[in-house]
Coordinates of all heavy atoms in Angstrom, one line a residue:
R1 N 113.5 82.0 87.2 CA 112.4 82.6 88.0 C 113.0 83.8 88.7 O 114.1 83.8 89.2 CB 111.9 81.6 89.0 CG 110.6 82.1 89.6 CD 110.0 81.0 90.5 NE 109.0 81.7 91.2 CZ 107.9 81.2 91.7 NH1 107.7 79.9 91.6 NH2 107.1 81.9 92.4
N2 N 112.1 84.9 88.7 CA 112.5 86.1 89.3 C 112.4 86.1 90.8 O 111.5 85.4 91.4 CB 111.6 87.3 88.8 CG 111.8 87.6 87.4 OD1 112.9 87.4 86.8 ND2 110.7 87.9 86.7
P3 N 113.4 86.7 91.5 CA 113.3 86.7 93.0 C 112.0 87.4 93.4 O 111.4 88.2 92.7 CB 114.5 87.6 93.4 CG 115.4 87.6 92.3 CD 114.6 87.4 91.0
R4 N 111.5 87.0 94.6 CA 110.3 87.5 95.1 C 110.4 89.0 95.5 O 111.3 89.5 96.0 CB 109.9 86.7 96.4 CG 108.5 86.9 96.9 CD 108.2 85.8 97.9 NE 106.8 85.8 98.2 CZ 105.9 85.1 97.6 NH1 106.3 84.4 96.6 NH2 104.7 85.2 97.9
V5 N 109.3 89.8 95.1 CA 109.2 91.2 95.3 C 108.0 91.5 96.2 O 106.9 90.9 95.9 CB 109.1 91.9 94.0 CG1 108.8 93.4 94.2 CG2 110.4 91.8 93.2
D6 N 108.2 92.3 97.2 CA 107.0 92.6 98.1 C 106.7 94.1 97.9 O 107.4 94.8 97.2 CB 107.2 92.2 99.5 CG 108.4 92.9 100.2 OD1 108.8 94.0 99.7 OD2 108.9 92.4 101.2
A7 N 105.6 94.6 98.6 CA 105.2 95.9 98.4 C 106.2 96.9 98.8 O 106.3 98.0 98.2 CB 103.9 96.1 99.2
I8 N 107.0 96.6 99.9 CA 108.0 97.6 100.3 C 109.1 97.8 99.3 O 109.6 98.9 99.0 CB 108.7 97.1 101.7 CG1 107.6 97.0 102.7 CG2 109.8 98.0 102.1 CD1 106.9 98.3 103.1
D9 N 109.4 96.7 98.6 CA 110.4 96.8 97.5 C 109.9 97.8 96.4 O 110.6 98.6 95.9 CB 110.7 95.4 96.8 CG 111.3 94.5 97.8 OD1 112.2 94.9 98.6 OD2 111.0 93.3 97.7
V10 N 108.6 97.6 96.1 CA 108.0 98.5 95.1 C 107.9 99.9 95.5 O 108.2 100.8 94.8 CB 106.6 98.0 94.7 CG1 105.8 98.9 93.8 CG2 106.7 96.6 94.0
V11 N 107.6 100.2 96.8 CA 107.6 101.5 97.3 C 109.0 102.1 97.2 O 109.2 103.3 96.8 CB 107.1 101.6 98.8 CG1 107.4 102.9 99.4 CG2 105.6 101.2 98.8
R12 N 110.0 101.4 97.6 CA 111.4 101.9 97.5 C 111.8 102.2 96.1 O 112.5 103.2 95.8 CB 112.4 100.9 98.1 CG 112.3 100.8 99.6 CD 113.3 99.9 100.2 NE 113.1 99.8 101.6 CZ 113.1 98.6 102.3 NH1 113.2 97.5 101.7 NH2 112.9 98.6 103.6
A13 N 111.4 101.3 95.2 CA 111.7 101.6 93.7 C 111.0 102.8 93.2 O 111.5 103.6 92.5 CB 111.3 100.4 92.9
C14 N 109.7 103.1 93.7 CA 109.0 104.3 93.3 C 109.7 105.5 93.8 O 109.8 106.5 93.1 CB 107.6 104.2 93.8 SG 106.5 103.0 93.0
V15 N 110.2 105.5 95.0 CA 110.9 106.6 95.6 C 112.1 106.9 94.8 O 112.4 108.0 94.4 CB 111.2 106.4 97.1 CG1 112.2 107.4 97.6 CG2 110.0 106.4 97.9
A16 N 112.9 105.8 94.4 CA 114.1 106.0 93.6 C 113.7 106.6 92.3 O 114.5 107.5 91.8 CB 114.8 104.7 93.5
L17 N 112.7 106.1 91.6 CA 112.3 106.6 90.3 C 111.9 108.1 90.4 O 112.3 108.9 89.5 CB 111.1 105.8 89.7 CG 111.5 104.4 89.3 CD1 110.3 103.6 89.0 CD2 112.4 104.4 88.1
Q18 N 111.2 108.4 91.4 CA 110.8 109.9 91.6 C 112.0 110.7 91.8 O 112.1 111.8 91.2 CB 109.8 110.0 92.7 CG 108.4 109.5 92.4 CD 107.4 109.9 93.5 OE1 107.7 109.6 94.7 NE2 106.3 110.3 93.1
Q19 N 113.0 110.3 92.5 CA 114.2 111.0 92.8 C 115.0 111.2 91.5 O 115.6 112.2 91.3 CB 115.1 110.4 93.8 CG 114.5 110.5 95.2 CD 115.3 109.6 96.2 OE1 116.0 108.7 95.9 NE2 115.1 109.9 97.5
Q20 N 114.9 110.2 90.6 CA 115.5 110.3 89.3 C 114.6 111.0 88.2 O 115.0 111.1 87.1 CB 115.8 108.9 88.8 CG 116.8 108.1 89.7 CD 116.8 106.6 89.3 OE1 116.5 106.2 88.2 NE2 117.0 105.8 90.3
R21 N 113.5 111.4 88.7 CA 112.5 112.1 87.8 C 112.1 111.2 86.6 O 111.9 111.6 85.5 CB 113.0 113.4 87.3 CG 113.3 114.4 88.4 CD 113.3 115.8 87.9 NE 113.7 116.8 88.9 CZ 112.9 117.2 90.0 NH1 111.7 116.7 90.1 NH2 113.4 118.1 90.8
R22 N 112.0 109.9 86.9 CA 111.5 108.9 85.9 C 110.1 108.6 86.1 O 109.6 108.6 87.3 CB 112.4 107.6 86.0 CG 113.8 107.9 85.5 CD 114.8 106.7 85.8 NE 114.3 105.5 85.1 CZ 114.7 104.3 85.6 NH1 115.6 104.2 86.6 NH2 114.3 103.2 84.9
R23 N 109.4 108.2 85.1 CA 108.0 107.8 85.1 C 107.8 106.6 86.0 O 108.5 105.6 85.9 CB 107.5 107.6 83.7 CG 106.0 107.3 83.6 CD 105.6 107.3 82.1 NE 104.3 106.9 82.0 CZ 103.9 105.6 81.8 NH1 104.8 104.7 81.6 NH2 102.6 105.3 81.7
L24 N 106.7 106.6 86.8 CA 106.3 105.5 87.6 C 105.5 104.5 86.7 O 104.4 104.9 86.3 CB 105.5 105.8 88.8 CG 106.2 106.7 89.9 CD1 105.3 107.0 91.0 CD2 107.5 106.0 90.3
S25 N 106.1 103.4 86.4 CA 105.4 102.4 85.6 C 105.8 101.0 86.0 O 106.9 100.9 86.6 CB 105.7 102.6 84.1 OG 107.0 102.3 83.8
V26 N 105.1 100.0 85.6 CA 105.5 98.7 85.9 C 106.8 98.4 85.3 O 107.7 97.8 86.0 CB 104.4 97.7 85.4 CG1 104.9 96.2 85.6 CG2 103.1 97.9 86.1
R27 N 107.0 98.8 84.1 CA 108.3 98.5 83.4 C 109.5 99.1 84.2 O 110.5 98.5 84.4 CB 108.2 99.0 82.0 CG 109.5 98.6 81.2 CD 109.3 99.1 79.7 NE 110.5 98.7 79.0 CZ 111.5 99.5 78.8 NH1 111.5 100.7 79.4 NH2 112.5 99.2 78.1
N28 N 109.3 100.4 84.5 CA 110.4 101.1 85.2 C 110.7 100.6 86.6 O 111.8 100.5 87.0 CB 110.2 102.6 85.2 CG 110.4 103.3 83.9 OD1 111.1 102.7 83.0 ND2 110.0 104.5 83.7
V29 N 109.6 100.2 87.3 CA 109.8 99.6 88.6 C 110.6 98.3 88.4 O 111.5 98.0 89.2 CB 108.5 99.4 89.3 CG1 108.6 98.5 90.6 CG2 107.9 100.7 89.7
R30 N 110.2 97.5 87.4 CA 110.9 96.2 87.2 C 112.3 96.4 86.9 O 113.2 95.7 87.3 CB 110.1 95.5 86.1 CG 110.8 94.2 85.6 CD 110.8 93.1 86.6 NE 111.4 91.9 86.2 CZ 112.7 91.6 86.1 NH1 113.6 92.5 86.5 NH2 113.1 90.4 85.7
L31 N 112.6 97.5 86.0 CA 114.0 97.8 85.7 C 114.8 98.2 86.9 O 116.0 97.8 87.1 CB 114.1 98.8 84.6 CG 113.6 98.4 83.2 CD1 113.5 99.6 82.3 CD2 114.6 97.4 82.6
E32 N 114.2 99.0 87.8 CA 114.8 99.5 89.0 C 115.1 98.4 90.0 O 116.2 98.3 90.6 CB 113.9 100.6 89.7 CG 114.5 101.2 90.9 CD 115.7 102.1 90.6 OE1 115.8 102.7 89.5 OE2 116.5 102.3 91.5
L33 N 114.2 97.4 90.1 CA 114.3 96.3 91.0 C 115.2 95.2 90.5 O 115.9 94.5 91.2 CB 113.0 95.7 91.4 CG 112.0 96.6 92.2 CD1 110.7 95.9 92.3 CD2 112.6 96.9 93.6
D34 N 115.2 95.0 89.2 CA 115.8 93.9 88.5 C 115.4 92.6 89.1 O 116.1 91.7 89.3 CB 117.3 94.1 88.6 CG 118.0 93.1 87.6 OD1 117.5 92.8 86.5 OD2 119.2 92.7 87.9
A35 N 114.1 92.6 89.4 CA 113.5 91.4 90.1 C 112.0 91.5 90.0 O 111.4 92.5 89.7 CB 113.9 91.3 91.5
G36 N 111.3 90.4 90.2 CA 109.9 90.3 90.2 C 109.2 90.2 88.9 O 109.8 90.5 87.8
S37 N 108.0 89.7 88.9 CA 107.2 89.6 87.7 C 106.4 90.9 87.5 O 106.1 91.6 88.4 CB 106.3 88.4 87.8 OG 105.2 88.6 88.7
Y38 N 106.0 91.1 86.2 CA 105.2 92.3 85.9 C 103.9 92.3 86.6 O 103.4 93.3 87.1 CB 105.1 92.4 84.4 CG 106.3 92.9 83.7 CD1 107.2 92.0 83.1 CD2 106.6 94.3 83.6 CE1 108.3 92.4 82.4 CE2 107.8 94.7 83.0 CZ 108.6 93.8 82.4 OH 109.8 94.2 81.8
S39 N 103.3 91.1 86.7 CA 102.0 91.0 87.3 C 102.1 91.3 88.8 O 101.2 92.0 89.4 CB 101.3 89.6 87.1 OG 102.1 88.6 87.6
T40 N 103.1 90.8 89.5 CA 103.3 91.1 90.9 C 103.5 92.6 91.2 O 103.0 93.2 92.1 CB 104.5 90.3 91.5 OG1 104.1 88.9 91.4 CG2 104.7 90.6 93.0
I41 N 104.4 93.2 90.3 CA 104.7 94.6 90.5 C 103.4 95.4 90.2 O 103.1 96.3 91.0 CB 105.9 95.0 89.6 CG1 107.2 94.3 90.0 CG2 106.0 96.5 89.5 CD1 108.3 94.4 89.1
D42 N 102.7 95.0 89.2 CA 101.4 95.7 88.9 C 100.5 95.7 90.1 O 99.8 96.7 90.5 CB 100.8 95.1 87.7 CG 99.5 95.8 87.3 OD1 99.6 97.0 87.0 OD2 98.4 95.2 87.3
R43 N 100.4 94.5 90.7 CA 99.5 94.3 91.9 C 99.9 95.2 93.0 O 99.1 95.9 93.6 CB 99.5 92.9 92.3 CG 98.6 92.6 93.5 CD 98.4 91.1 93.7 NE 99.5 90.2 93.4 CZ 100.5 89.8 94.2 NH1 100.5 90.2 95.4 NH2 101.4 89.0 93.7
H44 N 101.2 95.3 93.3 CA 101.7 96.2 94.3 C 101.5 97.7 94.0 O 101.2 98.5 94.9 CB 103.1 95.9 94.6 CG 103.4 94.6 95.3 ND1 102.6 94.1 96.3 CD2 104.3 93.6 95.0 CE1 103.0 92.9 96.7 NE2 104.0 92.6 95.9
L45 N 101.7 98.0 92.7 CA 101.5 99.4 92.4 C 100.0 99.8 92.5 O 99.7 100.9 92.9 CB 101.9 99.7 90.9 CG 103.4 99.8 90.7 CD1 103.7 99.9 89.2 CD2 104.0 101.0 91.4
R46 N 99.1 98.9 92.1 CA 97.7 99.2 92.3 C 97.3 99.3 93.8 O 96.5 100.2 94.1 CB 96.8 98.1 91.7 CG 96.9 98.1 90.1 CD 96.1 97.0 89.5 NE 96.3 96.9 88.1 CZ 95.6 97.5 87.2 NH1 94.6 98.3 87.7 NH2 95.8 97.4 86.0
W47 N 97.9 98.5 94.6 CA 97.7 98.6 96.1 C 98.2 99.9 96.6 O 97.5 100.6 97.3 CB 98.4 97.4 96.8 CG 98.4 97.6 98.3 CD1 97.4 97.4 99.2 CD2 99.5 98.2 99.0 NE1 97.8 97.7 100.4 CE2 99.1 98.2 100.4 CE3 100.7 98.7 98.7 CZ2 99.9 98.7 101.4 CZ3 101.6 99.2 99.7 CH2 101.1 99.2 101.0
L48 N 99.4 100.3 96.1 CA 100.0 101.6 96.6 C 99.1 102.8 96.1 O 98.8 103.7 96.9 CB 101.4 101.7 96.0 CG 102.1 103.0 96.4 CD1 102.3 103.1 97.9 CD2 103.5 103.0 95.7
A49 N 98.6 102.8 94.9 CA 97.7 103.8 94.4 C 96.5 103.9 95.2 O 96.0 105.0 95.6 CB 97.4 103.6 92.9
Y50 N 95.9 102.8 95.6 CA 94.7 102.7 96.4 C 94.9 103.3 97.8 O 94.2 104.1 98.3 CB 94.2 101.3 96.5 CG 93.1 101.1 97.5 CD1 91.8 101.5 97.1 CD2 93.3 100.7 98.8 CE1 90.7 101.4 98.0 CE2 92.2 100.5 99.7 CZ 91.0 100.9 99.3 OH 89.9 100.8 100.2
V51 N 96.1 102.9 98.4 CA 96.4 103.5 99.7 C 96.6 105.0 99.7 O 96.0 105.7 100.5 CB 97.7 102.8 100.3 CG1 98.2 103.5 101.5 CG2 97.4 101.3 100.6
I52 N 97.3 105.4 98.7 CA 97.5 106.9 98.6 C 96.1 107.6 98.3 O 95.9 108.6 99.0 CB 98.5 107.2 97.4 CG1 99.9 106.7 97.8 CG2 98.4 108.7 97.0 CD1 100.9 106.8 96.7
R53 N 95.3 107.1 97.5 CA 94.0 107.7 97.2 C 93.1 107.7 98.4 O 92.4 108.7 98.6 CB 93.3 106.9 96.1 CG 93.4 107.6 94.7 CD 92.4 107.0 93.7 NE 91.9 105.6 94.0 CZ 92.5 104.5 93.6 NH1 93.5 104.6 92.8 NH2 91.9 103.3 93.8
T54 N 93.1 106.7 99.2 CA 92.2 106.6 100.3 C 92.8 107.1 101.6 O 92.3 108.2 102.1 CB 91.7 105.1 100.5 OG1 92.9 104.3 100.7 CG2 91.0 104.6 99.3
E55 N 93.7 106.5 102.2 CA 94.2 106.9 103.5 C 95.0 108.2 103.5 O 94.7 109.1 104.2 CB 95.0 105.7 104.1 CG 94.2 104.5 104.3 CD 95.1 103.3 104.8 OE1 96.2 103.5 105.2 OE2 94.6 102.2 104.6
I56 N 96.0 108.2 102.7 CA 96.9 109.4 102.7 C 96.1 110.6 102.1 O 96.1 111.7 102.7 CB 98.2 109.2 101.9 CG1 99.0 108.1 102.7 CG2 99.0 110.4 101.8 CD1 100.2 107.6 101.9
G57 N 95.4 110.3 101.1 CA 94.6 111.4 100.4 C 93.6 112.0 101.4 O 93.4 113.2 101.5
E58 N 92.9 111.1 102.1 CA 91.9 111.6 103.1 C 92.6 112.4 104.2 O 92.1 113.4 104.6 CB 91.1 110.4 103.7 CG 90.1 109.9 102.8 CD 89.0 110.8 102.4 OE1 88.5 111.5 103.3 OE2 88.6 110.9 101.3
A59 N 93.7 111.9 104.7 CA 94.5 112.6 105.7 C 94.9 114.0 105.2 O 94.8 115.0 106.0 CB 95.7 111.8 106.2
L60 N 95.4 114.1 104.0 CA 95.8 115.4 103.5 C 94.6 116.4 103.3 O 94.7 117.6 103.6 CB 96.5 115.2 102.1 CG 97.8 114.6 102.1 CD1 98.4 114.4 100.7 CD2 98.8 115.4 102.9
I61 N 93.5 115.8 102.9 CA 92.3 116.7 102.7 C 91.9 117.2 104.1 O 91.6 118.4 104.2 CB 91.1 115.9 102.1 CG1 91.5 115.7 100.6 CG2 89.8 116.6 102.2 CD1 90.6 114.7 99.9
H62 N 91.8 116.4 105.1 CA 91.4 116.8 106.4 C 92.4 117.7 107.1 O 92.1 118.5 108.0 CB 91.1 115.6 107.3 CG 89.9 114.9 106.8 ND1 88.6 115.4 106.7 CD2 89.7 113.6 106.3 CE1 87.8 114.6 106.2 NE2 88.4 113.5 106.0
A63 N 93.7 117.6 106.7 CA 94.7 118.4 107.4 C 94.9 119.8 106.7 O 95.5 120.7 107.3 CB 96.1 117.7 107.3
A64 N 94.3 119.9 105.5 CA 94.5 121.2 104.8 C 93.7 122.3 105.5 O 92.5 122.0 106.0 CB 93.9 121.0 103.4
P65 N 94.2 123.5 105.6 CA 93.5 124.6 106.2 C 92.2 124.9 105.4 O 92.2 124.8 104.2 CB 94.5 125.7 106.2 CG 95.5 125.4 105.2 CD 95.5 123.9 105.1
A66 N 91.2 125.4 106.1 CA 90.0 125.7 105.5 C 90.1 127.0 104.7 O 90.9 127.9 105.1 CB 88.9 125.9 106.5
Q67 N 89.5 127.1 103.6 CA 89.6 128.3 102.7 C 88.5 129.3 103.0 O 87.4 129.0 103.3 CB 89.5 127.9 101.2 CG 90.5 126.9 100.9 CD 91.7 127.5 100.0 OE1 91.5 128.5 99.4 NE2 92.8 126.8 100.0

């Protein structure tokens, strides 16, 4: 059984992959972590995408200077 992976682990793996200029995917996150199930990693990646789209995305839109 794979060790437990939480959302913070997935975020850290995503940062590492971006620094390495590697594609963000369930498979690459799993390889970076060397832990967790594909379904758990997928769930955390979907959560992260949702957060970025909603909270951070909205904050960036509102913080952008008016054109």
Side-chain angles (χ1 to χ4, degrees):
R1 188 171 170 155
N2 295 327
R4 193 167 191 86
V5 169
D6 62 20
I8 299 300
D9 296 323
V10 171
V11 169
R12 287 184 183 131
C14 288
V15 169
L17 289 169
Q18 285 188 314
Q19 289 173 342
Q20 299 165 30
R21 301 201 186 284
R22 291 171 58 202
R23 184 172 173 266
L24 296 181
S25 67
V26 174
R27 182 176 182 271
N28 283 345
V29 169
R30 173 68 176 82
L31 290 170
E32 184 69 25
L33 293 173
D34 196 30
S37 70
Y38 286 97
S39 60
T40 298
I41 292 168
D42 182 62
R43 183 168 27 94
H44 291 315
L45 281 174
R46 288 176 189 272
W47 169 83
L48 180 60
Y50 173 78
V51 168
I52 289 170
R53 259 193 338 267
T54 56
E55 296 173 17
I56 296 172
E58 286 295 317
L60 290 175
I61 289 168
H62 294 298
Q67 302 254 340

